[in-house]
Amino acid sequence: MTKVVLMLAALAVLLVFHMWASARPRRLWYLGAITPVIWLGVLIWMAVTGVFRDNLLGLLFGGLAPMAVLLGIWAYGREAADAREAAAETAGNAAPEDADKE
């Protein structure tokens, strides 16, 4: 029971971090890529060690589906960050380095 609670808590913390990191400004785009890259490393490690050898459904639902969710969260966060930056620019709240260009 304790292991399940700890795993769920770790998953919640990971998802909250990933959502936060994915919505950072454009210049910090790599923060949202940390979680999918780590998950890709885990998938590669699992493939090399033979975890998915005879289990195609395990690969699809345990490996590729979470990767698709993580990449979807990252894409949504990128769009939200871009929309915030565009709204700030149209409202005249451009960053100081952008003001020099005008």
Side-chain angles (χ1 to χ4, degrees):
M1 176 72 173
T2 305
K3 282 186 177 182
V4 172
V5 172
L6 287 175
M7 287 179 66
L8 289 175
L11 179 64
V13 167
L14 179 75
L15 285 176
V16 167
F17 167 76
H18 183 57
M19 285 188 249
W20 172 82
S22 294
R24 297 299 95 204
R26 173 63 70 191
R27 58 183 161 52
L28 300 174
W29 65 270
Y30 55 87
L31 282 178
I34 292 170
T35 310
V37 167
I38 290 172
W39 184 246
L40 182 63
V42 169
L43 285 179
I44 291 170
W45 174 77
M46 291 172 88
V48 167
T49 59
V51 172
F52 297 126
R53 184 168 295 134
D54 295 326
N55 191 357
L56 183 59
L57 286 176
L59 173 64
L60 291 176
F61 294 113
L64 299 179
M67 178 62 100
V69 169
L70 291 173
L71 291 174
I73 291 172
W74 187 31
Y76 180 78
R78 292 285 82 237
E79 290 175 7
D82 289 344
R84 271 196 317 272
E85 288 178 8
E89 287 178 8
T90 58
N93 297 334
E97 60 269 2
D98 292 339
D100 295 337
K101 295 177 186 174
E102 293 179 4

